[in-house]
Amino acid sequence: MVWQQVYDPLSNMWLSTLLAAIPVVVMLVGLGFLHMKAHMAAGAGLIAALLIAVFVYNMPTEMAGRAALFGGFTGLLPIGWIVLNIIFLHQLTEQNGSFKVLQDSLSGITEDRRIQLLLIAFSFGAFFEGAAGFGTPVAVTAAILIGLGFSPLAASGLSLIANTAPVAFGALGTPVITLAKVHGYDLMEVTAMVGRQLPFFSVLVPFWLIWAFAGRKGMMEIWPAILVTGLSFAIPQYLVSNFIGPELVDIIAAIVSMGSLVLFLRYWQPKRIWTSASLRGKDVSAAEAKPPQPMIKHSKSALIAAWTPWIILSVFVFIWGLPPVKAWLNSLFAPAFPMAGLHNLIEKMPPVVPQPTKEGAIYTLNLLSATGTAILLSAIVSAFVMKYSPVAIVRTFFKTTWLVRYSLITIVLMLALGTLTRYSGTDTTLGLAFANTGMFYPFFGTLMGWLGVALTGSDTASNVLFGGMQKVAAEQLGLSPNLMGAANSSGGVMGKMIDAQSIVVASTATRWFNHEGDILRYVFFHSIALASLMGIFVTLQAYVWPFRLMVN
């Protein structure tokens, strides 16, 4: 029996929208205001989503349960698998002392905390976003920053803020490629449009990042370094996206940005070295920041040994992200399991799609091609390079699994919640509320993308969810479909810092367990402010003559 989604079950869009928002509100209030543990807040949100889906949207109970179960499997692989293995690698490097050498080597480039943020959180994180995505950059950069002595809130929150500009082209362009493939956009045209929106924010975000950390005065003291970092990322981002394609945008831009900043620092250093590792103003985790330690110079061989695990990680993740490699690994082992009682038994309905369309629900156990597997293999290879015994490697892995057990449970519950809202249609109800805004649609359509990522944790999933609606609404309003398709992806990047799974990844990487609510409260303003700025920019592109030239 096929169940058709209904987007206004109460025949009153206002009431339907309010009820559709309840699961998300329950989870966010539980995290941000009631100080519930993350897995408890996620569980409460999931229960609310099940009740709304069954009793308001009339979704069959068994189907709702299977949708949640399907999402839980997705939470374990790929997201949970990435988190577990990046923390495993970090544990290995910390235990043998090489991580301390890595910290000293980064301090050797600059002892200034602000510039360390530019180099690690923004540029280095963008490389991992381009190569792997799906939580990898936040996991890596937050772990490095906490090791450098940043406070847990600073390491978590600033890694999330920095991981915005590259998200639309993350995982070798997967979000934009998926948008074009699923909804019939021209790939190069929509890629180019995203590449005309994000570069402005690629320059803005590094300034925003340092302002959030050190304040206006602290930001202005290093504005030349910030400008070099942002421009050297934004220019390649524009050129590659407009003239080559989406696959290598982030990787090329990140490498150019890192190289430009390191080269610039050979000729310029700030007059005042910023040594505080805590956020300016109120930082509830300031007492947990490690005190600054004197810089120690290490031998060349020690530096090479310290960087080797992270170089191995970069190589493995990059190779695993290449489409031919991924396809070959999937040909070896990637069994697909249609979810009985769910697969092709739900139909999306107009106006979200032109005609009733069945929703697939196939879980692919692509363990070999998963990014987390690349991280695991890089950790094992690195462990042998660091002269760990096989017994010690296994012992450390199980120790890490126990360490992140609650984080894995939280990710499973949050993905179950997000998947259930997708299959029940409650997230589409929220999207339609944005779509009914008339001439203000360019602004609110951008926020629709933000909402999609905040709910699903993925720019790719948001593009799948709302990309078709953006196209239909744009055509009805006489706007460029490519503009609004791109706006969905560009606006979505600002929702990445508040999506639940990213926050859990950050709290796990920094070992700041059960403080997900503190992280959410800190980053929420930054997320909504940057998303609103993106919405204003897209509105200018739609209606103001000089900006309209960018659309055509």
Side-chain angles (χ1 to χ4, degrees), residues 185-391:
Y185 290 89
D186 182 276
L187 177 59
M188 278 306 300
E189 288 186 8
V190 76
T191 297
M193 185 62 68
V194 174
R196 294 168 199 161
Q197 294 169 345
L198 285 180
F200 293 92
F201 290 84
S202 296
V203 176
L204 173 64
V205 166
F207 281 94
W208 194 288
L209 178 72
I210 304 306
W211 165 74
F213 174 62
R216 185 186 62 82
K217 184 178 179 182
M219 177 191 74
M220 293 306 297
E221 289 177 350
I222 64 161
W223 72 264
I226 303 174
L227 188 62
V228 167
T229 304
L231 281 178
S232 61
F233 188 92
I235 293 172
Q237 185 182 47
Y238 168 76
L239 293 174
V240 177
S241 62
N242 275 261
F243 301 106
I244 297 177
E247 292 86 356
L248 296 177
V249 174
D250 283 347
I251 291 173
I252 292 174
I255 291 172
V256 172
S257 181
M258 283 187 284
S260 298
L261 179 56
V262 171
L263 182 63
F264 180 70
L265 292 174
R266 289 188 177 183
Y267 303 97
W268 180 92
Q269 288 289 333
K271 293 180 180 179
R272 178 171 67 127
I273 301 298
W274 190 282
T275 57
S276 172
S278 301
L279 296 167
R280 66 182 177 91
K282 185 179 180 182
D283 186 338
V284 296
S285 67
E288 300 177 57
K290 297 177 182 178
Q293 298 180 354
M295 187 180 68
I296 301 174
K297 289 193 175 182
H298 298 275
S299 65
K300 187 175 181 180
S301 60
L303 291 173
I304 292 173
W307 276 99
T308 296
W310 303 95
I311 293 171
I312 292 172
L313 172 67
S314 301
V315 171
F316 268 81
V317 167
F318 177 73
I319 292 173
W320 248 248
L322 296 173
V325 174
K326 194 173 287 290
W328 176 69
L329 291 170
N330 283 333
S331 71
L332 297 178
F333 180 82
F337 304 97
M339 192 73 182
L342 184 66
H343 177 58
N344 286 339
L345 294 180
I346 294 177
E347 280 188 341
K348 277 192 171 297
M349 302 297 290
V352 182
V353 288
Q355 56 188 15
T357 304
K358 286 183 171 60
E359 279 275 61
I362 299 176
Y363 182 74
T364 303
L365 187 63
N366 55 338
L367 189 61
L368 289 182
S369 66
T371 300
T373 301
I375 299 171
L376 174 62
L377 291 175
S378 69
I380 294 172
V381 171
S382 299
F384 283 118
V385 171
M386 291 184 283
K387 296 183 170 52
Y388 276 89
S389 69
V391 173

Side-chain angles (χ1 to χ4, degrees), residues 506-524:
S507 69
T508 305
T510 56
R511 318 273 184 84
W512 205 38
F513 302 111
N514 301 322
H515 286 278
E516 291 82 3
D518 293 310
I519 299 171
L520 174 63
R521 284 192 296 275
Y522 173 67
V523 297
F524 191 85

Side-chain angles (χ1 to χ4, degrees), residues 58-76:
N58 295 317
M59 186 180 192
T61 304
E62 185 178 353
M63 192 175 284
R66 291 178 182 273
L69 185 63
F70 181 59
F73 286 139
T74 306
L76 282 177

Side-chain angles (χ1 to χ4, degrees), residues 8 10 29 115 182 301 311 371 404 429 439 447 450 452 492 529 532:
D8 185 12
L10 301 179
V29 169
I115 299 177
V182 173
S301 60
I311 293 171
T371 300
V404 302
T429 298
M439 66 174 293
L447 290 187
W450 170 81
S532 297

Side-chain angles (χ1 to χ4, degrees), residues 10-91:
L10 301 179
S11 300
N12 184 310
M13 201 60 192
W14 283 97
L15 288 177
S16 296
T17 301
L18 287 173
L19 285 174
I22 284 177
V24 180
V25 171
V26 166
M27 184 182 68
L28 294 181
V29 169
L31 270 178
F33 297 99
L34 301 182
H35 304 283
M36 296 171 66
K37 293 183 177 180
H39 61 282
M40 298 298 292
L46 177 58
I47 292 171
L50 285 167
L51 293 174
I52 295 294
V54 172
F55 294 106
V56 177
Y57 282 74
N58 295 317
M59 186 180 192
T61 304
E62 185 178 353
M63 192 175 284
R66 291 178 182 273
L69 185 63
F70 181 59
F73 286 139
T74 306
L76 282 177
L77 182 76
I79 307 301
W81 191 230
I82 289 173
V83 173
L84 171 62
N85 290 310
I86 197 66
I87 301 302
F88 173 46
L89 174 61
H90 182 244
Q91 286 277 92

Side-chain angles (χ1 to χ4, degrees), residues 114 116-129 137-138 141-142 145 154-168 198 201-210 212-213 229 233 237 250 493-494 496-498 522-523 526-527 530:
R114 299 165 296 183
Q116 288 175 354
L117 279 173
L118 293 174
L119 183 64
I120 298 165
F122 184 79
S123 300
F124 196 44
F127 174 82
F128 279 101
E129 180 63 48
V138 171
T141 59
L145 291 176
S156 302
L158 297 173
S159 291
L160 289 166
I161 293 172
N163 185 41
T164 49
V167 166
L198 285 180
F201 290 84
S202 296
V203 176
L204 173 64
V205 166
F207 281 94
W208 194 288
L209 178 72
I210 304 306
F213 174 62
T229 304
F233 188 92
Q237 185 182 47
D250 283 347
V493 306
M494 306 309 177
K496 189 71 175 174
M497 69 181 84
I498 63 166
Y522 173 67
V523 297
H526 301 285
S527 178
L530 285 168

